[in-house]
Amino acid sequence: MRNHGFIARAAVGALGGALLLGGAGAAIAAEVDGDQVDVNVNIEAVEPVGALTMTVADDATTLTEVASADEDFREFAGTLPTVTVTDDREEVPAGVFWYVNGQSSDLTAAGGLSIGAENLGWSPALLTGDDGFVTPGEETVPALDEPTNTPNPEGNNVGLEEAELLALALDSSEARPTGQWTANANLKLKTAATVAPGAYSGTITLTLWEDAY
């Protein structure tokens, strides 16, 4: 029995020694050499699919004189080149709407002659028909005209001196399935009968906007 107890104690002691040796080996480990590797990745922006865009059929139009109902005034009429708005985006942000505005410069001629932009008005028309989502802007008549029916209590005889609405989509995401719309406007210039003769020219600036509610 004594031999068996001695053998058991010796085995436990040997195991403990092995554990001590293992611990001692871990404690004396040291870094011999080292280096670093940089990791680089260039993540490109995801290009949007499709876009909301506007094109204009021509970059000029000519007004010609038409009969005036009042001999104290002269009138000139023409048509704004067709404006096309295209929305071929796969995804449209929620809560946004788009619209096209137009604003005219003064019409000027050689010799310092000038006709104010307030004397040029328009009557917008949607050529693609009423889809329930895009509507034309209200008529804006020249300053020398009497105001026509308009929700604006101050009247609509202000011409294109400031930005006026050509077309409007109340909700971009709801309108998008139609994909494309066209619009133009009848232009009307009204001056005093005594306006100085000359070759007048000006510019209507058309701008497509998208905004949030």
Side-chain angles (χ1 to χ4, degrees), residues 56-132:
V56 183
D58 205 341
D59 61 1
T61 188
T62 299
L63 307 184
T64 56
E65 189 161 12
V66 295
S68 174
D70 189 330
E71 62 182 11
D72 291 331
F73 301 100
R74 297 177 70 176
E75 295 185 11
F76 307 81
T79 304
L80 182 75
T82 299
V83 177
T84 300
V85 175
T86 302
D87 190 352
D88 58 4
R89 296 174 290 183
E90 287 191 359
E91 295 184 8
V92 177
V96 298
F97 62 98
W98 62 257
Y99 56 100
V100 178
N101 278 347
Q103 182 174 5
S104 180
S105 67
D106 292 343
L107 281 70
T108 60
L113 302 177
S114 179
I115 299 173
E118 72 276 8
N119 295 294
L120 177 64
W122 70 6
S123 300
L126 191 64
L127 303 180
T128 45
D130 185 3
D131 63 0

Side-chain angles (χ1 to χ4, degrees), residues 131-164:
D131 63 0
F133 300 112
V134 177
T135 59
E138 298 288 336
E139 179 183 39
T140 302
V141 299
L144 294 175
D145 266 354
E146 292 296 324
T148 57
N149 292 332
T150 174
N152 185 349
E154 297 180 358
N156 64 338
N157 57 338
V158 292
L160 298 177
E161 184 176 24
E162 297 184 2
E164 300 294 338

Side-chain angles (χ1 to χ4, degrees), residues 20-33:
L20 289 172
L21 288 173
I28 64 172
E31 181 179 321
V32 175
D33 200 356

